[in-house]
Amino acid sequence: MLIFTVAVPAALADPPLPSADPFYSYSAAQLDGLAPGTILRQRTIPNADLGTSTPIAATQVLFRTTGEQGQPTATVATIIQPVNVPAVTRIVSYQTAYDALGSECDPSYTLQGGNSGYDSDEQTLVGSYVAQGYTVVDTDYEGTNLDWGAGQESGDNTLDGVRAAENLLGVAPATTPVGLIGYSGGAIATEFASELAPTYAAGLNIVGVAEGGIPVDFAHNLTYVNGSQDWSGVIPAVLVGVGRGFDIDITPYLSPDGVQITNTVSSQCINNFLGNYPGLTIQKLLKPQYQNFLGIPVFARTINHLIMSRTGTPKGPLFIGVGNQDGTGDGVMVANDDEALARTYCERGVPVQFNVYSGQDHDNAAVPFEAEAQGFLNARLNGLPVPNGCSSIGTGNSLAPVPVPASDTGSSGPAGNAGAKPAAKLRMRYVGRVRARHGVAVALWTTTGALSKVTVRLRRAGKVVDAVRLARVGTHHRRVILRVTGRTPKPGSYTVLAAHHGTTLARHAFRLR
């Protein structure tokens, strides 16, 4: 959610937009049986725009990854190597704050010189990491559908961008140090990548994560920016992006103004809509019967699902920074939410450094964050001792989920309509060890209708050791195999939890002998 305005050298004629470039196209059939991070095609771009006059060659790859609903998808990463390639490859995955609903702001497009000047500050920062000898991966983590705000998808895409880079370079994941960094919109991808990595991409050697200006809990961010003169334009944009990622039809809830505004922003980037809607409220976007946004079951569930720290725990270490201009936050991010995230991870044993930039708004806080984050990642990538600032981190805000109304219809349509079908109830049965599949199995089904976007997690000693996301569960039994780092779980006590949009609907505890 960061705007950049620094001028860069004149670019060549814009390349074709990703939406019109065949390099980005793929079919679902192409993804069958492919592991995440598998490269589908690649190309060289000879003049990567890093805010300098020196052309730097880069490789772009289209690779297999995972969507917000657990479905196989594909997106593009740009991989930039230093001119004098060092003997040891060290990777920085830089998540640009491109905050877009239109493809003209994809990093893979702007790094080719398209949309000249957009994200130019961050392109310069990418260049500084390359100049220090790091290989930089800059992934279109919102996916080709531009699902801005769909956090788990952004995290998976980021991790698979790193895997694709390692596949391209032919380096060993276990011994290749990786650092993750992102600010603002880029922090969404960075944070979820860090918390999903232990279960989704356990083979990566992530040695440090730097994330700043983080939207930890969208419910709190919405309260903060609702009616804001500067930041209210992000409300309809995030509504569109999250609706895309979670396959929610937002139209039935929208007022005529809401339809007009969301249609307008649905193909734009943040510099087009930020500041164009001063004083806009979520209530203006919604019909009278839906004025309590968090009282709409599908949105309550979705916002709960996107509260950071709920889908996993990073291995760490972490560096977290946020501005605080007014005692609440930096104008859009809530400082005590970021502190609460830091404290949560400290309590789970993760080493964390946390900095508040007093008096700084969101844009200005990016400057000290990026400088300190670079020092933090340099130290981690060079194997220096890990500092731990947990003793000085406060408790911050509560990150408890909002209540989900009991009148839920179990669908993504408006709740409470006359004649609505009863909510689908999820059922789960423990099947047992499946030696041929190197895991344990559970069966899932619903009592009526269907539930979309169900996540099944296997926990041991309070930690998630495996997670499987299902696009749909219906009345027919569906078997799910759960493993620990790809292997049969060792003897011990385990719990399986099945959740729908962050709300646990079924659980089963068992002991393997």
Side-chain angles (χ1 to χ4, degrees):
M1 303 175 186
L2 190 61
I3 292 182
F4 301 104
T5 56
V6 173
V8 295
L12 301 174
D14 281 359
L17 285 170
S19 55
D21 187 340
F23 181 79
Y24 294 77
S25 64
Y26 67 94
S27 67
Q30 288 178 273
L31 307 179
D32 287 347
L34 297 182
T38 300
I39 295 172
L40 303 176
R41 64 174 66 99
Q42 66 187 70
R43 68 183 178 188
T44 299
I45 57 170
N47 296 298
D49 185 356
L50 302 183
T52 70
S53 58
T54 303
I56 298 176
T59 301
Q60 292 188 329
V61 295
L62 177 74
F63 61 92
R64 191 272 201 208
T65 185
T66 304
E68 184 62 48
Q69 300 178 66
Q71 75 278 25
T73 60
T75 192
V76 170
T78 305
I79 301 158
I80 309 165
Q81 288 185 274
V83 175
N84 297 313
V85 179
V88 177
T89 298
R90 295 169 297 172
I91 293 175
V92 171
S93 180
Y94 194 106
Q95 284 62 254
T96 306
Y98 63 111
D99 301 344
L101 299 173
S103 64
E104 68 271 20
C105 294
D106 285 349
S108 61
Y109 179 70
T110 59
L111 284 167
Q112 295 181 65
N115 200 0
S116 180
Y118 192 80
D119 282 344
S120 58
D121 276 358
E122 292 199 297
Q123 289 171 353
T124 300
L125 288 165
V126 167
S128 73
Y129 282 104
V130 175
Q132 292 175 75
Y134 302 119
T135 295
V136 175
V137 184
D138 197 341
T139 297
D140 296 358
Y141 56 78
E142 293 179 11
T144 53
N145 198 42
L146 285 303
D147 298 336
W148 182 28
Q152 288 81 7
E153 174 180 354
S154 294
D156 287 348
N157 290 357
T158 296
L159 295 168
D160 290 334
V162 174
R163 289 201 267 210
E166 293 182 341
N167 287 336
L168 177 77
L169 301 172
V171 297
T175 57
T176 302
V178 177
L180 307 177
I181 178 171
Y183 186 82
S184 190
I188 297 175
T190 303
E191 160 54 30
F192 277 105
S194 73
E195 65 178 77
L196 290 168
T199 53
Y200 183 76
L204 295 180
N205 180 25
I206 298 174
V207 298
V209 178
E211 51 196 44
I214 314 168
V216 177
D217 186 332
F218 277 172
H220 298 174
N221 294 111
L222 174 61
T223 299
Y224 190 24
V225 304
N226 202 35
S228 162
Q229 293 299 301
D230 298 324
W231 287 97
S232 56
V234 304
I235 299 172
V238 172
L239 195 60
V240 171
V242 171
R244 288 176 181 173
F246 286 85
D247 195 23
I248 301 169
D249 181 7
I250 64 174
T251 305
Y253 304 98
L254 298 178
S255 67
D257 284 335
V259 171
Q260 185 271 320
I261 292 171
T262 55
N263 284 344
T264 298
V265 303
S266 64
S267 60
Q268 294 181 340
C269 305
I270 192 168
N271 59 344
N272 299 118
F273 51 75
L274 192 60
N276 287 346
Y277 301 98
L280 180 66
T281 64
I282 185 68
Q283 287 73 29
K284 183 178 176 64
L285 299 173
L286 300 175
K287 292 176 179 176
Q289 64 267 41
Y290 301 122
Q291 289 295 286
N292 179 13
F293 176 72
L294 295 178
I296 302 171
V298 67
F299 294 125
R301 288 196 308 268
T302 302
I303 281 181
N304 287 344
H305 185 66
L306 292 172
I307 296 173
M308 294 174 179
S309 80
R310 292 185 52 136
T311 49
T313 301
K315 289 189 294 188
L318 300 179
F319 173 75
I320 295 174
V322 65
N324 191 343
Q325 67 172 355
D326 57 11
T328 298
D330 61 13
V332 59
M333 305 307 175
V334 180
N336 280 348
D337 283 1
D338 287 28
E339 184 176 51
L341 181 70
R343 169 48 55 187
T344 296
Y345 288 147
C346 283
E347 292 173 351
R348 298 180 189 174
V350 180
V352 182
Q353 288 179 266
F354 176 64
N355 284 359
V356 177
Y357 308 111
S358 297
Q360 300 296 310
D361 65 14
H362 188 64
D363 287 344
N364 288 323
V367 177
F369 166 78
E370 292 286 1
E372 294 176 358
Q374 190 162 122
F376 173 84
L377 287 183
N378 281 335
R380 305 291 77 75
L381 289 162
N382 285 285
L384 297 182
V386 176
N388 191 344
C390 284
S391 61
S392 63
I393 299 174
T395 56
N397 289 331
S398 169
L399 299 180
V402 300
V404 178
S407 60
D408 191 357
T409 66
S411 72
S412 61
N417 289 346
K421 295 180 180 179
K425 294 183 179 180
L426 188 67
R427 295 288 183 261
M428 179 169 64
R429 178 172 59 84
Y430 176 63
V431 176
R433 191 192 303 267
V434 184
R435 297 185 185 279
R437 299 289 300 278
H438 305 290
V440 295
V442 295
L444 293 171
W445 70 97
T446 61
T447 55
T448 182
L451 292 173
S452 61
K453 297 157 283 191
V454 172
T455 302
V456 185
R457 296 184 179 89
L458 180 66
R459 294 172 64 96
R460 183 179 186 184
K463 294 184 178 180
V464 176
V465 293
D466 194 14
V468 176
R469 294 184 215 150
L470 306 174
R472 184 179 182 277
V473 177
T475 54
H476 294 290
H477 288 213
R478 179 165 183 178
R479 193 169 74 158
V480 177
I481 305 294
L482 298 160
R483 306 176 179 88
V484 178
T485 61
R487 297 186 176 92
T488 302
K490 295 180 180 179
S493 297
Y494 294 83
T495 303
V496 182
L497 303 98
H500 184 232
H501 293 296
T503 301
T504 299
L505 301 182
R507 71 173 62 218
H508 179 81
F510 64 95
R511 182 172 182 81
L512 280 182
R513 300 185 184 279

